[in-house]
Amino acid sequence: MKNIILCVNAGSSSLKFALYAISESAEEKLAEGAIEGVGQPTARLWIRDSHEHLLDDRKTRFSDAHETIGALFSALEKPELPFPAAVGHRIVHGGMKYTEPQKVTPRLQADLEALIPLAPLHLPGQIELIEAVRKWRPTLPQVACFDTAFHCRMPEVARRFPLPQKFWEQGVRRYGFHGLSYEYVLSVLQEQSEKSSQNAGSRTIIAHLGNGASMVAVRDGAPVDTSMGLTPTGGFMMGTRSGDLDPGLVLYLLRSGHDARALEDIVNHRSGLLGVSGLSADMKTLLDQRSDNPHADQAITMFCRGVKKFLGAFAAVLGGLDTLVFTGGIGERAAPVRQEICSDLEFLGVILDASRNEKHAPIISTPGSRCTVQVIPTNEDLMIARHTVKALSNQTKTS
């Protein structure tokens, strides 16, 4: 029996989606698409099937989540496509309580609303989508798949901040993000190991580099440390986010007249690649301008240096490095960034093959290097589909 799952992944002004057929013997992507420019004067909705054929491509206006979901359901009503039996959502933050995918209930939704201060960029829009799906299709099951769930297995020493005990008890801790992406990459590495009948090594670092970017250290398939913290703002610099800052700097800005809302705008929307370059948050744009724009060059240099610092720290936590994986939009497509991050890391066994790196080959390290460096395109949608089927199946067994 095939389970038809609609996977939705909400951004601040866009909605990406995919339709999967999941059975015990096969996983098939039937279609994928996006609604871009939500809330803007002109938005675009497009869908293409598994053969890259456009099934729909239109420009219109979607003012809110309700109109967006209505248009999505309407667009899916095509002879070529089966209608979904359930919807799986990527939910950025699950807090302390939600450490595995869950069917959406009124209680879960209320808990998510209470977590909005921990992920103000993402959770409001994701909650709106859940509400919109319920209004358009009240009987359609929905499952929340949490990006933080993957990291709950980290040791307590990695999850704690050096703060008084009461804050730990209140849930102030390192949650980590991009968990669905990391789960998928690890599933690919496991498949590779099974096919080759060789152990790829127990010490792995995965760098998910995109507009939002983070890193995880994995030993024997379990996370032991990650770069993001209480919120998705932490870690190394990103497209518009600052990453880690000196706490004294935040206090300084508060004393200088910036309130919490202004600080949130600075660290989440006006920092990172955009803030340093003064040009763009898009890495491709900065790479194109690098030779002529010193600020673009500086932003790229700072980004690569920040990633490299975390990479070195995590290699120290792991006691060495067997496998390094790049994923995410930048990690998969920006060869110069990968090259710069990996430069001078021969002491960790990281030696790139320049030709393979330029071609975005699956393995970009030299054959003789101690550390295997890979490029693995992530697939969060497939993880959402898998989790949705499993969560609904588990509920059926226990009900």
Coordinates of all heavy atoms in Angstrom, one line a residue, residues 296-346:
A296 N 32.6 42.2 -0.3 CA 32.2 40.9 -0.7 C 33.3 39.9 -0.4 O 33.0 38.8 0.2 CB 31.8 40.8 -2.2
D297 N 34.5 40.2 -0.7 CA 35.6 39.3 -0.4 C 35.7 39.1 1.1 O 35.9 37.9 1.6 CB 36.9 39.9 -0.9 CG 38.1 39.1 -0.6 OD1 38.2 38.0 -1.0 OD2 39.0 39.6 0.2
Q298 N 35.6 40.1 1.9 CA 35.7 40.0 3.3 C 34.6 39.1 3.9 O 34.8 38.3 4.8 CB 35.7 41.4 4.0 CG 35.9 41.4 5.5 CD 35.9 42.8 6.1 OE1 35.0 43.6 5.9 NE2 37.0 43.1 6.8
A299 N 33.4 39.3 3.4 CA 32.3 38.5 3.9 C 32.5 37.0 3.6 O 32.3 36.1 4.5 CB 31.0 38.9 3.2
I300 N 33.0 36.6 2.4 CA 33.3 35.2 2.1 C 34.4 34.7 3.0 O 34.3 33.6 3.5 CB 33.6 35.1 0.6 CG1 32.4 35.5 -0.2 CG2 34.0 33.7 0.3 CD1 32.8 35.7 -1.7
T301 N 35.4 35.5 3.2 CA 36.6 35.1 4.0 C 36.1 34.8 5.4 O 36.5 33.8 6.0 CB 37.7 36.1 3.9 OG1 38.1 36.3 2.6 CG2 38.8 35.7 4.8
M302 N 35.3 35.7 6.0 CA 34.8 35.5 7.3 C 34.0 34.3 7.5 O 34.1 33.5 8.4 CB 34.1 36.8 7.8 CG 35.0 38.0 8.1 SD 34.0 39.4 8.6 CE 33.3 38.9 10.1
F303 N 33.1 34.1 6.5 CA 32.2 32.9 6.5 C 33.1 31.6 6.5 O 32.9 30.7 7.3 CB 31.3 32.9 5.3 CG 30.4 31.7 5.2 CD1 29.2 31.7 5.9 CD2 30.7 30.6 4.4 CE1 28.4 30.6 5.8 CE2 29.9 29.5 4.3 CZ 28.7 29.5 5.0
C304 N 34.0 31.5 5.6 CA 34.8 30.3 5.5 C 35.7 30.1 6.7 O 35.8 28.9 7.2 CB 35.7 30.4 4.2 SG 34.8 30.3 2.7
R305 N 36.2 31.2 7.2 CA 37.0 31.1 8.4 C 36.2 30.6 9.6 O 36.7 29.8 10.4 CB 37.7 32.4 8.8 CG 38.7 32.4 9.9 CD 39.4 33.8 10.0 NE 40.5 33.7 11.0 CZ 40.3 34.0 12.3 NH1 39.1 34.3 12.7 NH2 41.3 34.0 13.1
G306 N 35.0 31.1 9.7 CA 34.1 30.7 10.8 C 33.7 29.2 10.7 O 33.7 28.5 11.8
V307 N 33.4 28.7 9.5 CA 33.1 27.3 9.4 C 34.3 26.5 9.7 O 34.2 25.4 10.4 CB 32.7 27.0 7.9 CG1 32.4 25.5 7.7 CG2 31.4 27.8 7.6
K308 N 35.5 26.9 9.2 CA 36.7 26.2 9.5 C 37.0 26.1 11.0 O 37.5 25.0 11.5 CB 37.9 26.8 8.8 CG 39.2 26.1 9.0 CD 40.4 26.8 8.3 CE 40.3 26.7 6.8 NZ 41.5 27.2 6.1
K309 N 36.8 27.1 11.8 CA 37.0 27.1 13.2 C 36.1 26.1 13.9 O 36.6 25.3 14.8 CB 36.8 28.5 13.8 CG 37.9 29.5 13.5 CD 37.5 30.9 14.0 CE 37.4 31.0 15.5 NZ 37.1 32.4 15.9
F310 N 34.9 26.0 13.5 CA 34.0 25.0 14.1 C 34.4 23.6 13.7 O 34.3 22.7 14.5 CB 32.5 25.3 13.7 CG 31.8 26.2 14.7 CD1 31.8 27.5 14.5 CD2 31.1 25.6 15.7 CE1 31.1 28.4 15.4 CE2 30.4 26.4 16.6 CZ 30.4 27.8 16.4
L311 N 34.8 23.5 12.4 CA 35.3 22.2 11.9 C 36.4 21.7 12.8 O 36.5 20.5 13.2 CB 35.7 22.3 10.5 CG 35.7 21.0 9.6 CD1 35.6 21.4 8.1 CD2 37.0 20.2 9.9
G312 N 37.4 22.5 13.1 CA 38.5 22.2 13.9 C 38.1 21.8 15.3 O 38.6 20.8 15.9
A313 N 37.2 22.6 15.9 CA 36.8 22.3 17.2 C 36.1 21.0 17.3 O 36.2 20.2 18.3 CB 35.8 23.5 17.7
F314 N 35.2 20.7 16.3 CA 34.5 19.4 16.4 C 35.4 18.2 16.1 O 35.1 17.2 16.6 CB 33.3 19.5 15.3 CG 32.2 20.4 15.8 CD1 32.2 21.0 17.0 CD2 31.0 20.5 15.0 CE1 31.1 21.8 17.4 CE2 29.9 21.3 15.4 CZ 30.0 21.9 16.6
A315 N 36.4 18.4 15.3 CA 37.4 17.3 15.1 C 38.1 17.0 16.4 O 38.4 15.9 16.7 CB 38.4 17.7 14.0
A316 N 38.3 18.1 17.2 CA 38.9 17.9 18.5 C 38.0 17.1 19.4 O 38.4 16.2 20.2 CB 39.3 19.2 19.1
V317 N 36.7 17.5 19.4 CA 35.7 16.8 20.2 C 35.6 15.3 19.9 O 35.5 14.4 20.7 CB 34.3 17.4 20.1 CG1 33.2 16.6 20.7 CG2 34.3 18.8 20.7
L318 N 35.7 15.0 18.5 CA 35.6 13.6 18.1 C 36.9 12.9 18.2 O 36.9 11.6 18.1 CB 35.2 13.6 16.6 CG 33.8 14.1 16.2 CD1 33.7 14.3 14.7 CD2 32.8 13.1 16.8
G319 N 38.0 13.6 18.4 CA 39.3 12.9 18.5 C 39.9 12.5 17.2 O 40.6 11.6 17.0
G320 N 39.5 13.3 16.1 CA 39.9 13.0 14.8 C 38.8 13.1 13.8 O 37.6 13.4 14.2
L321 N 39.0 12.8 12.6 CA 38.0 12.9 11.6 C 38.1 11.9 10.5 O 39.2 11.8 9.9 CB 38.1 14.4 10.9 CG 37.0 14.8 10.0 CD1 35.6 14.7 10.6 CD2 37.3 16.2 9.5
D322 N 37.1 11.1 10.2 CA 37.1 10.1 9.2 C 36.3 10.6 7.9 O 36.7 10.3 6.8 CB 36.4 8.8 9.7 CG 37.1 8.3 10.9 OD1 38.3 8.1 10.8 OD2 36.5 8.0 11.9
T323 N 35.2 11.3 8.1 CA 34.3 11.7 7.0 C 33.9 13.2 7.2 O 33.4 13.5 8.3 CB 33.1 10.8 6.9 OG1 33.5 9.5 6.8 CG2 32.3 11.2 5.7
L324 N 34.0 14.0 6.2 CA 33.5 15.3 6.2 C 32.5 15.4 5.1 O 32.8 15.1 3.9 CB 34.6 16.4 6.0 CG 34.2 17.8 5.8 CD1 33.4 18.4 6.9 CD2 35.4 18.7 5.5
V325 N 31.3 15.9 5.4 CA 30.2 16.0 4.3 C 29.8 17.5 4.2 O 29.5 18.2 5.2 CB 29.0 15.2 4.7 CG1 27.9 15.3 3.6 CG2 29.4 13.7 4.8
F326 N 29.7 18.0 3.0 CA 29.1 19.3 2.7 C 27.7 19.0 2.1 O 27.5 18.2 1.2 CB 29.9 20.0 1.7 CG 31.2 20.6 2.2 CD1 32.4 19.9 2.0 CD2 31.2 21.7 3.0 CE1 33.6 20.4 2.5 CE2 32.4 22.2 3.5 CZ 33.6 21.5 3.3
T327 N 26.7 19.8 2.6 CA 25.3 19.7 2.1 C 24.7 21.1 2.2 O 25.3 22.1 2.7 CB 24.5 18.7 2.8 OG1 23.3 18.4 2.1 CG2 24.2 19.1 4.3
G328 N 23.5 21.3 1.8 CA 22.8 22.6 1.7 C 23.2 23.3 0.4 O 24.1 22.9 -0.3
G329 N 22.5 24.4 0.1 CA 22.7 25.1 -1.1 C 24.1 25.5 -1.4 O 24.7 25.3 -2.5
I330 N 24.8 26.2 -0.4 CA 26.2 26.6 -0.5 C 27.1 25.3 -0.5 O 28.0 25.2 -1.3 CB 26.6 27.6 0.6 CG1 25.8 28.8 0.5 CG2 28.1 27.9 0.5 CD1 26.0 29.8 1.6
G331 N 26.9 24.4 0.4 CA 27.7 23.3 0.5 C 27.7 22.4 -0.7 O 28.7 21.8 -1.0
E332 N 26.6 22.3 -1.4 CA 26.4 21.5 -2.6 C 26.9 22.2 -3.9 O 27.4 21.5 -4.8 CB 25.0 21.1 -2.8 CG 24.4 20.2 -1.6 CD 22.9 20.1 -1.7 OE1 22.3 20.3 -2.8 OE2 22.3 19.9 -0.6
R333 N 26.9 23.5 -3.9 CA 27.1 24.2 -5.2 C 28.2 25.2 -5.2 O 28.6 25.6 -6.3 CB 25.8 24.9 -5.6 CG 24.7 23.9 -5.9 CD 23.5 24.6 -6.5 NE 22.7 25.4 -5.6 CZ 21.7 24.9 -4.9 NH1 21.4 23.7 -4.9 NH2 21.1 25.7 -4.0
A334 N 28.8 25.5 -4.1 CA 29.9 26.6 -4.1 C 31.2 25.9 -3.9 O 31.8 25.8 -2.8 CB 29.6 27.6 -3.0
A335 N 31.8 25.5 -5.0 CA 33.2 24.8 -4.9 C 34.2 25.7 -4.3 O 35.0 25.3 -3.5 CB 33.6 24.4 -6.3
P336 N 34.3 27.0 -4.7 CA 35.3 27.9 -4.0 C 35.2 28.0 -2.5 O 36.2 28.1 -1.8 CB 35.1 29.3 -4.7 CG 34.4 29.0 -5.9 CD 33.5 27.8 -5.7
V337 N 34.0 27.9 -2.0 CA 33.8 28.0 -0.6 C 34.3 26.7 0.1 O 35.0 26.7 1.1 CB 32.3 28.2 -0.2 CG1 32.0 28.0 1.3 CG2 31.9 29.6 -0.7
R338 N 34.0 25.5 -0.5 CA 34.5 24.3 0.0 C 36.0 24.2 0.0 O 36.6 23.8 1.0 CB 33.9 23.1 -0.8 CG 32.4 22.9 -0.7 CD 32.0 21.5 -1.3 NE 32.4 21.4 -2.7 CZ 31.5 21.5 -3.7 NH1 30.3 21.8 -3.5 NH2 31.9 21.4 -5.0
Q339 N 36.6 24.7 -1.1 CA 38.0 24.8 -1.2 C 38.7 25.6 -0.1 O 39.6 25.2 0.5 CB 38.4 25.3 -2.6 CG 39.9 25.3 -2.8 CD 40.6 24.0 -2.8 OE1 40.1 23.1 -3.5 NE2 41.6 23.8 -2.0
E340 N 38.1 26.8 0.1 CA 38.6 27.7 1.1 C 38.5 27.1 2.5 O 39.4 27.3 3.4 CB 38.0 29.1 1.0 CG 38.7 30.1 1.8 CD 38.3 31.5 1.4 OE1 37.8 31.7 0.2 OE2 38.4 32.5 2.2
I341 N 37.4 26.5 2.8 CA 37.2 25.9 4.1 C 38.2 24.8 4.4 O 38.7 24.7 5.5 CB 35.7 25.4 4.3 CG1 34.7 26.5 4.3 CG2 35.6 24.5 5.5 CD1 33.3 26.1 4.2
C342 N 38.4 24.0 3.4 CA 39.3 22.8 3.6 C 40.8 23.1 3.4 O 41.6 22.2 3.7 CB 38.9 21.7 2.6 SG 37.3 21.0 2.9
S343 N 41.1 24.3 3.0 CA 42.5 24.6 2.8 C 43.3 24.6 4.2 O 42.7 24.9 5.2 CB 42.7 26.0 2.2 OG 42.2 27.0 3.1
D344 N 44.5 24.1 4.2 CA 45.3 24.0 5.4 C 44.8 23.0 6.4 O 45.1 23.2 7.6 CB 45.6 25.4 6.0 CG 46.2 26.3 5.0 OD1 47.1 25.9 4.2 OD2 45.8 27.5 5.0
L345 N 44.0 22.1 6.0 CA 43.4 21.1 7.0 C 44.1 19.7 6.7 O 43.5 18.7 7.1 CB 41.9 21.0 6.9 CG 41.1 22.2 7.4 CD1 39.6 21.9 7.3 CD2 41.5 22.6 8.8
E346 N 45.2 19.7 6.1 CA 45.9 18.5 5.9 C 46.2 17.7 7.2 O 46.3 16.5 7.2 CB 47.2 18.7 5.1 CG 47.0 19.1 3.6 CD 46.8 20.6 3.5 OE1 46.8 21.3 4.6 OE2 46.7 21.1 2.4

